[in-house]
Amino acid sequence: MTDIASDTGAAPGNPPRRRDRFGPPLLALLAAVPPLMMLREVLRYPQMHFFDYWWVLLDITEPDGSLRPEALLGFRNEHPFVLPSLLFWLSARFGGGLNQPLGLLIIAFGVGCVLLVLAMLPTSLTRWQRAALLTATSTLVFNPHGIHNYVRSMSGASWILAMLLVLAALLAMQRRRGVLAVLAGLLASISYGTSFAVWPALALVAWLRGDRRRWVVTPLVVGVLVVAAWLVLRGPQGGGGGSPTDDPAQALLTGLSMLGMVWTGTEPAIALMAGVGGLAVLVLHARLDPQRRAASAEWWGLATYALGCAVLIAGSRAAFGEDAGLQSRYNSMTAALWIAVLVIAVAWPRRPDLRAVVVGATVLTTVAMGAPMAQEVRDDAPNQRLLAIAARTGATDAVTDRFPEPDRLLPRLRALHHYPFNEHFDLGCPDGTGIGDRVDTGGWRVPSVGSLREPRPGGWDVVLNAETDQVRGGTRVVEGWAISGIERARCVVLLDHLGTVVGAGVTDLPRPDAEADTVGTEIGLGFRAVAPARPGPLRVAFHFPDGWWIRPLTDNPEVVS
């Protein structure tokens, strides 16, 4: 492995070796892989926005969907939320309320973060070092741990945007553009509350660089004013968790595990040790001569920002449990710490021989360890698809944990032609069957009513198993599993006695119990469907590769209070 600390090795007047001529650009090209992988995740995720988006949309719109401009200055869970709220409104008004286009914008913000880090890298670094740090930065910004910020774009609209603005502020301070640094810091501060940590970071950069005293004092004064204004203007304090945050040990666990979360899957103890390790590396590099201290100022500022975020999160979220610091949305802040650690360790090393190992281990380990977090978010995607169906049909009583105040929210969505009330909504059925369609079911096959199972010549069965059939408030919920031969269902719909599609659901849900009894079949046999609870018979139908199968449901579903 080529040591990222080496120079080209070419003697004066001699052309560089082929490895040193083409190696750095090829290594730098690897920086494109993480955002491309995240792009794939965004394009695969449902178009339905996630929970906090709906609360903000309720706050910033009138019942007819028009904007309430003054509401953009409000708070969300105590956080100043001006710029994310504006992005939400633009998405709702001009973007069809689609999750994926906003996710693409968040990816662009992430790319901007990587480019800002590249612009801040010391000029003394070799081409190998710059390429390696560029790739490592991209890996950390687009780490699988942070998938939440991109596929649930409403989250990245605050966290990744705030990170982008913080990096812009640090770059401006590095270039001695103090006014621009303060302006970028102000924009970051109205994006999310954790960005308040940018102010001590900017002051530290100015002090380490030996700038005029006013540029050391100004960020601190502005920061105090920003926090004071926030304390005066914020609404009622948010809450949550099992108890107040009054345990210093719990707060320490939350903050340190947040700083080290990219080094583990879901284990707080390992994350805590990694966080301590990262801070230890910084301590080992803290004794610098004046020249190095000035040259590395912005990276110490970035580390200070990450540490400040950890303190703020520890103080507000520790009561949520021992894994409170391992939330996917916190990835941008732990990335800030490790970007700073890597740059400092490569540019001003205590152990030059370990630089390549440190960068390589960071890239490989943090990506691999992000797999459990990423899979957890992916596994939730069917619930978002079901939410879109529930909203479109008005059967929202089964999704109240994801869709607040539907009586207020649904009229706004219809007025804005917001997804799922526009042409982008579909059920994913191969033949285009959709909500409200009247279909001719004469050619659809029906299994034997007694066993709901139909033997086939090859010895395989069709099983349409509706295990749960309940009425919850104004919503009918049907759950179970279905199989035709060795194939799982591609889509599921609910029809009334006239053949009108009145509801639908999601398929490909894990059902290990059913899969264990059907050896050799595909995984993901489960389904869940919803429809408005109405009198009259209802039927459930499934589309398999060999066509539609349909079966009746009970006329007396269980009523759940």
Side-chain angles (χ1 to χ4, degrees), residues 47-48 54 96-98 388 413 417-422 424-426:
Q47 292 284 18
M48 197 69 169
W54 306 119
L98 299 173
L413 301 187
H417 301 289
H418 187 295
Y419 186 85
F421 295 98
N422 56 34
H424 298 285
F425 174 80
D426 66 72

Side-chain angles (χ1 to χ4, degrees), residues 72-150:
L72 293 175
L73 302 178
F75 296 83
R76 178 66 190 146
N77 290 338
E78 297 187 286
H79 290 275
F81 215 66
V82 179
L83 296 186
S85 294
L86 181 59
L87 288 177
F88 289 2
W89 161 247
L90 293 174
S91 172
R93 180 64 180 84
F94 301 105
L98 299 173
N99 174 50
Q100 291 178 7
L102 187 56
L104 298 180
L105 179 62
I106 308 308
I107 288 178
F109 289 165
V111 171
C113 290
V114 175
L115 295 178
L116 287 171
V117 169
L118 177 64
M120 287 196 294
L121 289 177
T123 57
S124 60
L125 294 175
T126 68
R127 295 169 68 230
W128 278 106
Q129 291 168 344
R130 293 179 68 84
L133 289 173
L134 173 66
T135 299
T137 296
S138 179
T139 301
L140 288 166
V141 171
F142 291 100
N143 200 277
H145 283 90
I147 188 174
H148 183 120
N149 288 315
Y150 299 98

Side-chain angles (χ1 to χ4, degrees), residues 79-81 165 184-193 195-199 226:
H79 290 275
F81 215 66
L165 293 168
L186 288 172
L187 290 175
S189 295
I190 60 174
S191 297
Y192 217 63
S195 298
F196 293 167
V198 72
W199 301 111
V226 167

Side-chain angles (χ1 to χ4, degrees), residues 291-349:
Q291 183 177 359
R292 286 188 174 184
R293 185 172 64 187
S296 62
E298 55 273 12
W299 306 107
W300 291 102
L302 184 59
T304 299
Y305 163 73
L307 186 59
C309 290
V311 171
L312 292 171
I313 289 172
S316 61
R317 306 294 291 184
F320 284 74
E322 65 176 15
D323 60 348
L326 303 185
Q327 303 301 309
S328 178
R329 59 185 179 272
Y330 299 157
N331 181 76
S332 60
M333 291 169 290
T334 188
L337 174 73
W338 290 99
I339 290 169
V341 168
L342 289 180
V343 174
I344 290 170
V346 169
W348 302 278

